C-alpha cells in the first residue's frame, strides 16, 4: 500500500539555484528537523495547539489515516509536507485530512490551472508585474504578497494564467515553517482596474479561486489590504463576498487612496517607495527569479505522469458548467452601475 505513495516525495534539499536567494528561507531538509525559533515554537503552541513533544506523533497519526482511509491517494507523506496541513487546521486530524483531500480535489477539478504547472509557463504573468512578494515580512513575521490586478489586460492572456502564478507563489511561500505558523498578508493595489478586468473572471471563476484558497490550501491568510480601489470595486467585491466565510470577509480592509490607513496595518519600513515606504523601490524581479529558479521542484510536484486517483471530490469542488450565468448577468449590471 505504501508503495503507491512513495513516488511523490519532495522532502529534499533545495536546488543550488533556489538556495541562492538568501532573503527567502529555503524548504526544510529531507529528514524533518524543526527550524522554528523558540518564539515561534511558543506561538505555534499557543495559536495552533502544536506541542513539540507530540509533533511527530501527530504527523504519524495523519499519515496512518491517509494510508488506511485513502489508499489510492497519490500524495506526499513526508513529515514536512503533512505538517503544513496539521498547522493549517490546528492539529485537528480529521480537518487536516479533509484539507489534504480538498487540496488534491482542487487540482483534479481544475486542470486548466494545474496541468503542466511550473514557473516557466507563467513567466509572462511575472514579467507583466501582476504579483510579487515583498522582501521584508511585517512586524508579525508575515510575508506580504503584493497583487496588482490592474497590470493584467484581458487581451494579453487568459485570467486563469494569473491564478496559476498565484498558486505557484503560495506553494513557494508555504515551504518555510515560519510562514506555516505566522501566515501571510495580501496587499492588493487596484490602480488601473477597469470594467474589462472586473467583469472578466465572473462568479464561476471567483468561486473556484475562493474555494481553493479557503478550503483547499494549507496557508493562513491573515489580512487582505486593498488600496487604490476604484468605485467599481463594490461590484468586484459583490462577486467575491458570497463565497467568503465570515471570518475571511472580516479580514478584508479597504483603504482607498489613504496610505496612512494602510500604515496602521503594514508599517512603512516594510513597504516599497511606491506605497510611501522606506524599503526601496518595488522589486518585481527578485520573486520572479526565485520562482523560475525553482522550476525543477515544481516539475516534480505538478508534472507527474501519474494522475491523482481515488481522491474524494467534495461537493463544493464540483464545478458544473454555466450554472451561475444568471447570477453573473445580475452582477455584471452592478459593475456597470458602479462604473
Amino acid at each position: 500500500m505504501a508503495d503507491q505513495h512513495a513516488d511523490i516525495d519532495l522532502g529534499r534539499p533545495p536546488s543550488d539555484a533556489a538556495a541562492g536567494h538568501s532573503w527567502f528561507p529555503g524548504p526544510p531538509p529531507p529528514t524533518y528537523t524543526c527550524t522554528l525559533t523558540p518564539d515561534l515554537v511558543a506561538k505555534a503552541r499557543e495559536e495552533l495547539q502544536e506541542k513539540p513533544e507530540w509533533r511527530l506523533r501527530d504527523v504519524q497519526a495523519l499519515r496512518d489515516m491517509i494510508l488506511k482511509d485513502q489508499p489510492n491517494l497519490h500524495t506526499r507523506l513526508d513529515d514536512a509536507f503533512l505538517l503544513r496541513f496539521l498547522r493549517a487546521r490546528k492539529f485537528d486530524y480529521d480537518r487536516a485530512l479533509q484539507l489534504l483531500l480538498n487540496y488534491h480535489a482542487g487540482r483534479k477539478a481544475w486542470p486548466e490551472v494545474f496541468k503542466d504547472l511550473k514557473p516557466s509557463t507563467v513567466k509572462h504573468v511575472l514579467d507583466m508585474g501582476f504579483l510579487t512578494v515583498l522582501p521584508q515580512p511585517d512586524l508579525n513575521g508575515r510575508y506580504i504578497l503584493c497583487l496588482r490586478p490592474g497590470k493584467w489586460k484581458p487581451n494579453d492572456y487568459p485570467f486563469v494564467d494569473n491564478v496559476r502564478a498565484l498558486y505557484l507563489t503560495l506553494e513557494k511561500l508555504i515551504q518555510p515553517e515560519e510562514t506555516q505558523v505566522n501566515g501571510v498578508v495580501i496587499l492588493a493595489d487596484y490602480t488601473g482596474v477597469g470594467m474589462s478586468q472586473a467583469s472578466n473572471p465572473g462568479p464561476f471563476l471567483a468561486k473556484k479561486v475562493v474555494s481553493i484558497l479557503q478550503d483547499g490550501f494549507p496557508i493562513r491568510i491573515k489580512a487582505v489590504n486593498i488600496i487604490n480601489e476604484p468605485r467599481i470595486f463594490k461590484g468586484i467585491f459583490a462577486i467575491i463576498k458570497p463565497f467568503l466565510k465570515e471570518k475571511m470577509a472580516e479580514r478584508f480592509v479597504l483603504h482607498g487612496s489613504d496610505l496612512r490607513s494602510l500604515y496602521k496595518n503594514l508599517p512603512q519600513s516594510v513597504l516599497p517607495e511606491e506605497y510611501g515606504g522606506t524599503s526601496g523601490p518595488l522589486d518585481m524581479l527578485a520573486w520572479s527569479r526565485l520562482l523560475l529558479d525553482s522550476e525543477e521542484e515544481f516539475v516534480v510536484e505538478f508534472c507527474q505522469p501519474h494522475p491523482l486517483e481515488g481522491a474524494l471530490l467534495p461537493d463544493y469542488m464540483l464545478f458544473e458548467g454555466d450554472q451561475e450565468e444568471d447570477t453573473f448577468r445580475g452582477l455584471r449590471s452592478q459593475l456597470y452601475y458602479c462604473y
Side-chain angles (χ1 to χ4, degrees), residues 291-302:
L291 278 185
L292 292 170
D293 286 345
S294 303
E295 179 92 353
E296 180 184 350
E297 67 184 64
F298 285 111
V299 168
V300 174
E301 178 76 19
F302 291 102

Side-chain angles (χ1 to χ4, degrees), residues 157-173:
Y157 58 82
F159 180 80
V160 73
D161 288 1
N162 293 327
V163 181
R164 287 165 63 86
L166 174 60
Y167 199 91
L168 286 170
T169 290
L170 293 176
E171 283 282 355
K172 194 65 183 175
L173 275 172

Side-chain angles (χ1 to χ4, degrees), residues 208-237:
K208 282 186 173 184
V209 174
V210 171
S211 293
I212 287 176
L213 293 182
Q214 284 190 144
D215 301 304
F217 195 85
I219 200 165
R220 306 170 71 209
I221 300 175
K222 304 299 290 182
V224 181
N225 293 279
I226 310 293
I227 61 172
N228 299 319
E229 67 273 17
R231 287 188 302 168
I232 200 174
F233 185 79
K234 183 185 296 185
I236 298 173
F237 197 61

